[in-house]
Amino acid sequence: MTTSVGTPTTLDLGPATGLSCRECGHRVPLAAEFACGECFGPLEVSYDFGAVRREDIEAGPRSIWRYRRLLPVPSDVDSHPNTDPGCTRLVRADRLAAELGVRRLWVKDDTGNPTHSFKDRVVAVALAAARTLGFTVLACPSTGNLANAVAAAAARAGWESVVLIPSSLERAKVLTTAVYEGALIAVDGNYDDVNRLATELAAEHEDWAFVNVNVRPYYAEGSKTLGYEIAEQLGWRLPSQVVVPVASGSQLTKVDKAFRELGELGLVEPTPYRVFGAQATGCAPVSAAFKAGQDVVAPVRPSTIARSLAIGAPADGPYVLDAVRRTNGAVEDVTDEEVVEGIRLLARTEGIFAETAGGVTVATAKKLIETGQLDPDAETVLLITGDGLKTLDAVADRVGPRATVAPSAAAVRAALGF
Amino acid sequence: MTTSVGTPTTLDLGPATGLSCRECGHRVPLAAEFACGECFGPLEVSYDFGAVRREDIEAGPRSIWRYRRLLPVPSDVDSHPNTDPGCTRLVRADRLAAELGVRRLWVKDDTGNPTHSFKDRVVAVALAAARTLGFTVLACPSTGNLANAVAAAAARAGWESVVLIPSSLERAKVLTTAVYEGALIAVDGNYDDVNRLATELAAEHEDWAFVNVNVRPYYAEGSKTLGYEIAEQLGWRLPSQVVVPVASGSQLTKVDKAFRELGELGLVEPTPYRVFGAQATGCAPVSAAFKAGQDVVAPVRPSTIARSLAIGAPADGPYVLDAVRRTNGAVEDVTDEEVVEGIRLLARTEGIFAETAGGVTVATAKKLIETGQLDPDAETVLLITGDGLKTLDAVADRVGPRATVAPSAAAVRAALGF
């Protein structure tokens, strides 16, 4: 990354001014770096936002780029071909609310993104930053949603892509990535092996932007747009409670960051809010740490159907604990059985078919209510971040036709109990 | 339907004033009717739009309901829970344009709808009209996208649903309907059997709204919103050429109707446009009639991977021929091999993964250009109406990982040709 590191002052990444270490605060110029040179802590983007007005945002495009003044992307970001994710539905969920016994509930339905998960947001920001930083290849290790998003974004932009997946990955996830015809490489190994490979390759190929490795500080900021959109869609105010699935933990910390930024910028009243994390019991290291009152997250070996959340050593786990404790929230976890029931409950009440991670969110919200941790009288938003079409196996044994009948009206009526 | 038929004057279906026969012009009051009592021709909604301004539309919700003044739905339609479809992306497709050799190309990407096909549009309008007409159950015969859309819309609205499918339907399509937990009934028979059953049941159960049977005149109007959106997204003007997939043919005729209405209402300049129809060769009755210069569409027995277009006796076939000939367009068809190449071309160039019907549209556009029927210098819009995630089998044998390698950087590099 000679280009960028050599000439940091010429980089246009909008309001971004540098990178700072979340652990020791050490600051470096904007560049393709992700770990602090002083303490190896994670680097995060710093900004000088200046004045940002609601009108400027509202006059912007119907995509995450309406928030470009709050993201590490060039001001002309939407002039380059990209998947234009975001501006997904915020659904008033009265029927689900009634089932859960809460007063006012919303579902942020991110299945409406171009490849049907929130990953389109973070990848779009990573691509825009990577272009400015001088990269020419978009890459990632992934087991699913991220692979789809990277391959699609690269195709749309006319970039080469390199996507590494475990060779054991389900056929559907392979096909939905391979169809974009980047370089999809199956690796004989598990996700940990693939991830390690990505880090090694990122160090060796200076024109490859591994979105979740060497441009991770930029990539991660894309999740802030979930928080911005929720606030804008509520009429420029913050919800009282938000339930967010936790994999690496990055998304939860960025939604929290978005809410804080909006308050600091005067775009919303800085009203109090509580952030809740949702995990599957089969991979619940952050929930375990929260319940044990610890600051350190002990790694676990994942075993859950919620594969998109199955990160045993979540990089942002400690920051999730910080955000949750600071806002008087909680982290809770649910069994795979409850995950499937969560998927079915959301589908049956609101007509939204979520992937397993969405089942985790819904089931965790239910458990938080039942255990008195989530206030049923306070307005709550649930984040549904991926699509049930990608995890059909989770429900395959539980749902099906009510009956199979002969082709006669009498047979249909009999099956329906008439 | 005693309620509605008995008191037609009290019905609020917005600008809709009645139903008129497309064949003999006979008019009847708004009701749950679909065939002319005089000549058995299809009934269509008539309107008195009054004055409709761009500002009224632009100030509306980000869904098809921004066009409620142009649809047979009550003015308070968006106050009832529904899936809020529409306002999907219109994507400037420069990379696809370059491959096809055309100057200015757009893709209307309807995979962004709640259940990822345009069927959410027509079902939402059908549900709104059905509520006003006094129905209480939403129903359909279907082999896929429509089943998903009806089951989801009913769940969201808190309605009962009855969805009839052939028992041979693929597992994925069964699951993505069954998850919403309406009454899904598998019928031992083919789609024709199921369709016949639906007509029989519609006649016997006066509270069941079979969206594509007894409320079809309202349902079909939902496709107009594709045309309205394209024009609004182009900055309130009509494209010169539009390529639309043809199943029953309804969608094509309604896009044409939308363009005409916008011109008549002064919402756009009534500039000339050409409408093209796209079919799969394995089910190309309208294309065959077009090429033979006939007005009558002879039924065929479908045999194509584009199953969502596999209607051998298309109800609106003659009206497609009318629209295409009136606008100096054409109908063309492509082989299943070309359909798969069309899916791959769109994915590779624009990062959009379409179902087989989308492959039909892209491949047909290519053929129309190559045969000189579509003007490469005129602005063109392609309608992509469903999602590749639902028809994975179409590409399963064609795409896959570039290589499967050992977990080492050297192996990855070798696979990539370094």
Side-chain angles (χ1 to χ4, degrees):
Chain A
M1 296 318 314
T2 327
T3 320
S4 57
V5 176
T7 55
T9 53
T10 66
L11 286 181
D12 171 15
L13 286 171
T17 54
L19 300 174
S20 61
C21 177
R22 290 173 84 164
E23 288 299 322
C24 74
H26 179 68
R27 289 180 61 97
V28 295
L30 292 168
E33 299 185 20
F34 58 102
C36 176
E38 301 290 316
C39 76
F40 301 106
L43 295 175
E44 186 172 45
V45 177
S46 302
Y47 299 94
D48 178 4
F49 291 125
V52 180
R53 301 175 309 161
R54 291 180 186 175
E55 308 89 88
D56 298 331
I57 293 168
E58 290 167 348
R62 294 298 307 181
S63 71
I64 60 170
W65 306 131
R66 67 202 282 106
Y67 308 110
R68 63 186 179 278
R69 292 175 186 81
L70 304 170
L71 295 170
V73 297
S75 52
D76 68 343
V77 62
D78 56 343
S79 68
H80 296 280
N82 71 88
T83 61
D84 292 305
C87 289
T88 57
R89 301 185 299 168
L90 183 70
V91 178
R92 174 71 181 260
D94 288 343
R95 282 167 43 79
L96 179 59
E99 292 256 1
L100 295 179
V102 303
R103 192 187 295 265
R104 196 175 170 88
L105 187 68
W106 302 86
V107 168
K108 180 62 176 170
D109 178 14
D110 240 20
T111 67
N113 277 314
T115 69
H116 309 318
S117 88
F118 88 100
K119 291 291 187 185
D120 292 317
R121 299 175 182 270
V122 285
V123 168
V125 173
L127 172 61
R131 181 185 287 114
T132 304
L133 291 166
F135 292 99
T136 58
V137 176
L138 204 65
C140 73
S142 171
T143 62
N145 286 327
L146 182 58
N148 296 170
V150 164
R156 168 84 179 134
W159 278 40
E160 294 294 314
S161 66
V162 176
V163 173
L164 306 178
I165 55 171
S167 57
S168 61
L169 200 61
E170 304 97 307
R171 173 175 163 272
K173 290 183 182 164
V174 174
L175 294 176
T176 53
T177 303
V179 72
Y180 301 108
E181 295 185 24
L184 175 64
I185 305 290
V187 176
D188 281 330
N190 60 26
Y191 181 69
D192 286 338
D193 297 323
V194 175
N195 213 3
R196 208 161 32 235
L197 253 186
T199 306
E200 190 179 339
L201 288 162
E204 294 172 9
H205 295 268
E206 65 174 20
D207 50 349
W208 292 13
F210 277 89
V211 296
N212 51 346
V213 181
N214 53 343
V215 293
R216 187 175 180 83
Y218 307 95
Y219 162 89
E221 293 292 287
S223 285
K224 291 197 304 180
T225 59
L226 277 162
Y228 299 147
E229 283 180 24
I230 290 168
E232 182 179 355
Q233 289 171 315
L234 288 175
W236 293 111
R237 62 184 179 78
L238 302 180
S240 298
Q241 303 177 125
V242 60
V243 186
V244 186
V246 173
S248 75
S250 173
Q251 182 177 84
L252 184 145
T253 68
K254 298 301 182 181
V255 169
D256 170 54
K257 187 180 183 185
F259 287 173
R260 278 184 289 135
E261 286 175 349
L262 292 176
E264 289 161 8
L265 286 163
L267 290 165
V268 301
E269 280 288 305
T271 50
Y273 60 87
R274 303 169 69 199
V275 181
F276 295 85
Q279 295 207 297
T281 304
C283 183
V286 187
S287 177
F290 176 79
K291 291 173 180 176
Q294 294 166 347
D295 295 329
V296 177
V297 174
V300 301
R301 178 181 294 271
S303 173
T304 169
I305 58 170
R307 292 177 62 163
S308 65
L309 301 183
I311 297 184
D316 289 288
Y319 307 113
V320 167
L321 294 171
D322 288 349
V324 163
R325 288 176 176 143
R326 194 192 75 246
T327 63
N328 195 27
V331 188
E332 190 50 273
D333 58 270
V334 289
T335 65
D336 283 1
E337 183 74 23
E338 292 171 305
V339 171
V340 174
E341 288 310 306
I343 292 172
R344 296 179 64 184
L345 177 59
L346 179 63
R348 172 164 56 83
T349 54
E350 301 298 344
I352 296 170
F353 183 22
E355 67 162 11
T356 44
V360 170
T361 300
V362 172
T364 297
K366 185 167 187 283
K367 189 169 179 181
L368 288 166
I369 294 157
E370 288 166 355
T371 55
Q373 299 177 84
L374 193 137
D375 179 358
D377 291 325
E379 184 174 48
T380 303
V381 177
L382 309 183
L383 263 60
I384 301 301
T385 55
D387 202 295
L389 268 170
K390 297 193 196 179
T391 60
L392 285 177
D393 285 343
V395 298
D397 297 337
R398 313 299 180 87
V399 306
R402 189 171 296 188
T404 300
V405 304
S408 84
V412 172
R413 275 196 295 272
L416 293 171
F418 282 86
Chain B
M1 296 317 310
T2 326
T3 320
S4 57
V5 176
T7 56
T9 53
T10 67
L11 286 180
D12 170 15
L13 286 172
T17 54
L19 299 174
S20 61
C21 177
R22 291 173 84 164
E23 289 299 321
C24 73
H26 180 66
R27 289 179 62 97
V28 294
L30 291 167
E33 298 184 20
F34 58 102
C36 176
E38 302 290 316
C39 76
F40 301 106
L43 296 175
E44 185 172 47
V45 177
S46 302
Y47 298 94
D48 178 3
F49 291 126
V52 180
R53 301 175 309 160
R54 292 180 185 174
E55 308 88 88
D56 297 331
I57 293 169
E58 289 167 349
R62 295 294 309 180
S63 72
I64 61 171
W65 306 132
R66 68 201 283 105
Y67 308 109
R68 64 187 177 278
R69 291 176 186 81
L70 304 170
L71 295 170
V73 297
S75 52
D76 69 344
V77 61
D78 57 345
S79 68
H80 295 280
N82 70 88
T83 61
D84 292 305
C87 289
T88 56
R89 303 185 298 167
L90 182 70
V91 177
R92 175 72 181 257
D94 288 343
R95 281 168 43 78
L96 179 59
E99 292 255 2
L100 294 179
V102 303
R103 193 188 295 266
R104 195 176 172 89
L105 187 67
W106 302 86
V107 168
K108 181 62 176 169
D109 177 14
D110 240 19
T111 68
N113 276 314
T115 70
H116 309 318
S117 88
F118 88 99
K119 291 290 187 185
D120 291 316
R121 299 175 183 270
V122 284
V123 169
V125 173
L127 172 61
R131 181 185 287 113
T132 304
L133 292 166
F135 291 99
T136 59
V137 176
L138 205 64
C140 71
S142 170
T143 63
N145 286 327
L146 182 58
N148 295 171
V150 164
R156 168 82 178 135
W159 278 40
E160 294 295 314
S161 66
V162 176
V163 173
L164 306 178
I165 55 172
S167 57
S168 61
L169 200 60
E170 304 96 306
R171 174 174 162 273
K173 290 183 181 164
V174 175
L175 293 177
T176 53
T177 303
V179 72
Y180 302 108
E181 295 186 24
L184 175 64
I185 305 291
V187 176
D188 282 328
N190 59 25
Y191 180 69
D192 286 337
D193 296 323
V194 175
N195 213 5
R196 206 158 34 232
L197 254 186
T199 306
E200 190 180 340
L201 287 162
E204 294 171 10
H205 296 268
E206 65 175 20
D207 50 348
W208 293 11
F210 277 89
V211 295
N212 50 347
V213 181
N214 52 344
V215 292
R216 187 176 180 84
Y218 307 95
Y219 162 89
E221 294 291 289
S223 285
K224 291 197 304 180
T225 59
L226 276 162
Y228 300 147
E229 284 181 24
I230 289 167
E232 183 180 356
Q233 289 171 315
L234 288 175
W236 292 112
R237 61 184 179 77
L238 302 180
S240 298
Q241 303 177 125
V242 59
V243 185
V244 187
V246 173
S248 74
S250 173
Q251 183 178 83
L252 183 145
T253 68
K254 297 301 181 179
V255 169
D256 170 54
K257 186 179 183 186
F259 287 173
R260 278 184 289 135
E261 287 175 348
L262 292 177
E264 290 162 7
L265 286 163
L267 289 166
V268 301
E269 280 291 306
T271 50
Y273 59 87
R274 302 169 69 199
V275 181
F276 296 85
Q279 295 207 297
T281 304
C283 182
V286 187
S287 177
F290 176 79
K291 291 173 180 177
Q294 294 166 345
D295 295 330
V296 177
V297 175
V300 300
R301 179 181 296 271
S303 173
T304 168
I305 59 169
R307 293 176 60 162
S308 64
L309 302 184
I311 298 183
D316 289 289
Y319 307 113
V320 168
L321 294 171
D322 288 349
V324 162
R325 288 175 176 144
R326 194 192 74 246
T327 63
N328 195 26
V331 189
E332 189 50 274
D333 57 271
V334 289
T335 66
D336 284 0
E337 182 75 23
E338 291 171 305
V339 171
V340 174
E341 289 310 307
I343 292 173
R344 295 179 65 183
L345 177 60
L346 179 63
R348 172 163 57 82
T349 54
E350 301 298 343
I352 296 170
F353 183 22
E355 66 162 14
T356 43
V360 170
T361 300
V362 172
T364 297
K366 185 166 187 283
K367 189 169 180 180
L368 288 166
I369 294 159
E370 289 167 354
T371 53
Q373 299 177 83
L374 194 137
D375 179 359
D377 292 325
E379 184 173 47
T380 303
V381 177
L382 308 183
L383 263 60
I384 301 300
T385 56
D387 202 292
L389 268 169
K390 298 193 197 179
T391 60
L392 286 176
D393 285 343
V395 297
D397 298 335
R398 312 299 179 88
V399 306
R402 190 170 295 189
T404 300
V405 304
S408 83
V412 171
R413 275 196 295 271
L416 293 171
F418 282 86

